Amino acid sequence: MKNYSNFVEKLRSAGLRPTKQRLKICEVLFDRKETFHFNVEDLKKILKKKLETSISVATVYNTINAFKSKGYIKEISLNTDKTYFDTNVTSHHHFYNVTTGELIDFHDKDVEEIKLKKNLPGKKIKSIEVLVKIANK
Amino acid sequence: MKNYSNFVEKLRSAGLRPTKQRLKICEVLFDRKETFHFNVEDLKKILKKKLETSISVATVYNTINAFKSKGYIKEISLNTDKTYFDTNVTSHHHFYNVTTGELIDFHDKDVEEIKLKKNLPGKKIKSIEVLVKIANK
DNA sequence: TCAATATATTAGAATGATTCTAAACTATTT
DNA sequence: AAATAGTTTAGAATCATTCTAATATATTGA
Ligand SMILES: [Mn+2]
Ligand SMILES: [Mn+2]
Ligand SMILES: [Zn+2]
Ligand SMILES: [Zn+2]
């Protein structure tokens, strides 16, 4: 048996009861070693296979929006038509392969520290993230 | 009289004839000292005032899409519902104020050079851009 | 246990940004 | 001018996302 107690706790803390559909969403999102980058269409396809029945789009959006509010997933800014989400909620950097559409994490250790020279009186910095666009040679 | 010959040239090189509506779009986008960040809704409002008549949404989208293809404007990735464009087409960095929604350029000189430590065999780097999210204190 | 109550799921409708269409309009060419 | 090519426009189509309200399921407490 998987991390069900983790998933139950995640859902409860997001104000959601642990139902079959929501637990399956947790499994797809969080039962992984690696960061998961996804859009809603992809997620729905995976869920359909795993559940062997389709899941309502409303349930998927409700659940991921609750997780986003709670900070369990975050939205990634890309110039694409669909919204992408990321299970890695730390402030981190991405490679986006414009040839393949692939989105890959990289981390602070893969780049020299980013030091701003600009003063920002009256502001606080919430995040500093780098997007590196790459293409296949 | 403004930079009309510049605008005419821009339009012609994008395969578009210089019409009244398109020249007005050019004026709003390019007749400025500073970088202009905009979404289509804002642009339409400005155009409506300047033209003293409304302009078709189709014409606005056609024109900005042509300019985007030609590299005269570029799309900016933000977690917003509407698409933002930028008249600064160089690879550059942004501050996004999450309190006010304001988007501001900053430049290479405002940040220490970004050096990737990661190897990318078989790939070429197209751009490296930083998004700094700030909030009012 | 069983009914009452609260919450969840669902299909489909509504919304809204963007794209498409096709008819009316304008500019260019011969 | 007539013919042709390109443009603008209003509104329709599309599609991701959100909303709705009916049905289903889970929880509560007598
Ligand atoms: Mn886009
Ligand atoms: Mn969004
Ligand atoms: Zn990531
Ligand atoms: Zn900019």
Side-chain angles (χ1 to χ4, degrees):
Chain A
M1 119 136 44
K2 323 233 170 176
N3 295 313
Y4 265 68
S5 57
N6 282 347
F7 301 159
V8 169
E9 196 181 349
K10 265 206 164 73
L11 286 164
R12 287 240 156 85
S13 67
L16 300 174
R17 286 186 187 164
T19 62
K20 180 167 59 100
Q21 290 85 346
R22 288 167 176 169
L23 284 166
K24 191 58 68 174
I25 291 172
C26 285
E27 196 183 311
V28 174
L29 298 189
F30 304 120
D31 191 23
R32 310 181 168 262
K33 287 270 161 42
E34 301 281 321
T35 293
F36 182 40
H37 299 97
F38 64 97
N39 63 41
V40 170
E41 196 187 14
D42 296 341
L43 178 56
K44 268 198 59 177
K45 278 191 198 129
I46 297 170
L47 287 166
K48 187 166 186 173
K49 262 187 214 152
K50 292 218 174 199
L51 284 165
E52 289 176 1
T53 168
S54 71
I55 183 171
S56 166
V57 67
T59 298
V60 177
Y61 276 104
N62 287 344
T63 307
I64 66 176
N65 285 336
F67 283 159
K68 185 183 156 194
S69 297
K70 195 69 188 178
Y72 293 153
I73 60 179
K74 70 172 184 170
E75 201 176 321
I76 300 297
S77 303
L78 291 176
N79 290 147
T80 55
D81 47 347
K82 294 173 195 171
T83 300
Y84 276 77
F85 296 92
D86 192 339
T87 57
N88 180 350
V89 296
T90 66
S91 182
H92 67 285
H93 313 309
H94 290 99
F95 287 110
Y96 180 63
N97 186 321
V98 299
T99 311
T100 64
E102 202 179 8
L103 184 66
I104 302 169
D105 279 356
F106 72 101
H107 296 276
D108 286 342
K109 67 175 169 45
D110 298 319
V111 66
E112 281 184 20
E113 193 190 354
I114 292 159
K115 286 190 192 120
L116 299 179
K117 296 177 189 168
K118 206 162 189 161
N119 261 39
L120 295 165
K123 317 287 184 208
K124 52 177 171 295
I125 290 175
K126 309 290 284 184
S127 66
I128 300 180
E129 298 193 5
V130 180
L131 179 63
V132 179
K133 289 189 184 166
I134 60 179
N136 291 344
K137 260 189 204 138
Chain B
M1 117 138 42
K2 322 233 171 175
N3 295 313
Y4 265 68
S5 56
N6 281 348
F7 302 159
V8 169
E9 196 182 349
K10 266 206 163 74
L11 287 164
R12 287 240 157 85
S13 67
L16 300 174
R17 286 185 187 164
T19 62
K20 180 166 59 102
Q21 289 86 347
R22 288 168 177 167
L23 284 166
K24 192 58 68 174
I25 291 171
C26 285
E27 196 183 311
V28 175
L29 298 189
F30 304 121
D31 191 22
R32 309 183 167 262
K33 288 269 163 40
E34 301 282 322
T35 293
F36 182 41
H37 299 96
F38 65 97
N39 62 40
V40 170
E41 196 187 14
D42 296 340
L43 177 56
K44 267 197 60 175
K45 277 190 198 130
I46 297 170
L47 287 166
K48 186 166 186 172
K49 262 187 214 154
K50 293 218 173 199
L51 285 164
E52 289 178 2
T53 168
S54 71
I55 184 171
S56 167
V57 67
T59 298
V60 176
Y61 276 105
N62 288 344
T63 307
I64 66 176
N65 285 336
F67 283 158
K68 186 182 156 195
S69 297
K70 194 68 188 178
Y72 293 152
I73 60 178
K74 70 173 186 170
E75 201 176 321
I76 300 297
S77 304
L78 292 174
N79 291 146
T80 54
D81 47 347
K82 295 174 195 171
T83 300
Y84 276 76
F85 297 92
D86 191 339
T87 57
N88 180 350
V89 297
T90 66
S91 182
H92 66 285
H93 313 309
H94 289 100
F95 288 110
Y96 181 64
N97 187 321
V98 299
T99 310
T100 64
E102 201 180 8
L103 184 66
I104 302 170
D105 280 356
F106 72 101
H107 296 276
D108 286 342
K109 67 174 172 44
D110 297 319
V111 67
E112 280 184 21
E113 193 190 355
I114 292 159
K115 285 191 193 118
L116 300 179
K117 297 178 190 168
K118 207 162 190 161
N119 261 40
L120 295 164
K123 317 285 185 210
K124 50 177 172 298
I125 291 174
K126 309 291 285 182
S127 65
I128 300 180
E129 298 193 5
V130 180
L131 179 63
V132 179
K133 289 189 184 164
I134 60 180
N136 290 345
K137 260 188 203 135

